[in-house]
Amino acid sequence: MKKHIHTLAIMAVALNTALAQSKFKEVEIDGVAGFQDTPMQPDGKWHVHDPARPQPPIVTPGTFSQMAPPPSDAIVLFDGKDLTQWVDKKTGGPVGWSVVDGAAVSAKGDIQTTARFGDIQLHLEFREPTPPKESGQGRGNSGVFFMGQYEIQVLDCYNNKTYADGATGGLYGQHPALANACRPPGEWQTYDIVFNVPHFGANGELVSPAYVTVILNGVVVQNHQAFRGATNWRVPGTYTPHGPTGPLALQYHNNSVAFRNIWVRPVPVVDEK
Ligand code: MG
């Protein structure tokens, strides 16, 4: 059975690779660049990265707390001083990011924590580059990857349209945010996120998906939303069985996005069965 699942996993990877390599044609609808020849989302209404999918409604945030001291039991991952708890995601070696005026600035490659986490509460603050450059996915792109593979998008979506499933607060390529609560580039913004790990059975079958609740600048933009699997470009999400913990990763996507005040708290879900 295990071998069978392994074969299926290889086939899924091969299919994803084949899809990624086929010639998708970018189209623009109402100023939004995206794709309409990608696979359909399971809802049967929209393609992955469909430019016609409705944009998250703009909600101007109220007041929200920045640079608040972490709770007493928080695991502080970046306090403005150094990135010693992080490594380069690809090489496992030193990070290519720099620390400037108390902020970690993305460069060269994705980074991830040396520590591994399961269910967590995460707080972090991010700042998009100003003046803004480029548009769509090219403007201030980064991302928060739970277990190294489930992305909540970080993008400058202030006066910048992109396909809905790739906007800030979205489960990348899967589920758009409920609202666009972005602050302008150059201003600090907050993410408070609760992430629940997916669970797999003895044969690698999915028992329960990963869930995420996301608060952007004090506004709930995802409410216990399920991931359909690892997030990726132009492909639907697929799950590959994995263990109960994984690293937290931050994306470098050719833009210098700054981060500060990063901390997590383990918040295990109690199984009462
Ligand atoms: Mg991203």
Side-chain angles (χ1 to χ4, degrees), residues 35-99:
F35 299 89
Q36 290 194 317
D37 52 3
T38 42
M40 293 300 283
Q41 303 278 5
D43 62 13
K45 285 192 238 167
W46 311 109
H47 292 271
V48 174
H49 313 321
D50 198 326
R53 192 171 187 174
Q55 296 285 303
I58 292 171
V59 173
T60 304
T63 53
F64 52 91
S65 184
Q66 293 176 48
M67 283 303 277
S72 61
D73 65 347
I75 299 165
V76 177
L77 296 172
F78 177 64
D79 64 1
K81 294 193 186 90
D82 60 62
L83 287 163
T84 50
Q85 297 183 69
W86 301 77
V87 292
D88 184 274
K89 189 177 178 183
K90 210 175 260 178
T91 66
V95 301
W97 294 31
S98 54
V99 178

Side-chain angles (χ1 to χ4, degrees), residues 19 52 91 138 152 210 224 250:
L19 284 169
T91 66
I152 294 298
H224 196 61
L250 297 174

Side-chain angles (χ1 to χ4, degrees), residues 137 140-145 151-155 166 172 251-253:
Q137 293 288 304
N141 197 333
S142 181
V144 181
F145 283 76
E151 182 184 13
I152 294 298
Q153 176 70 305
V154 172
L155 194 73
Y172 183 74
Q251 186 182 41
Y252 171 65
H253 197 287

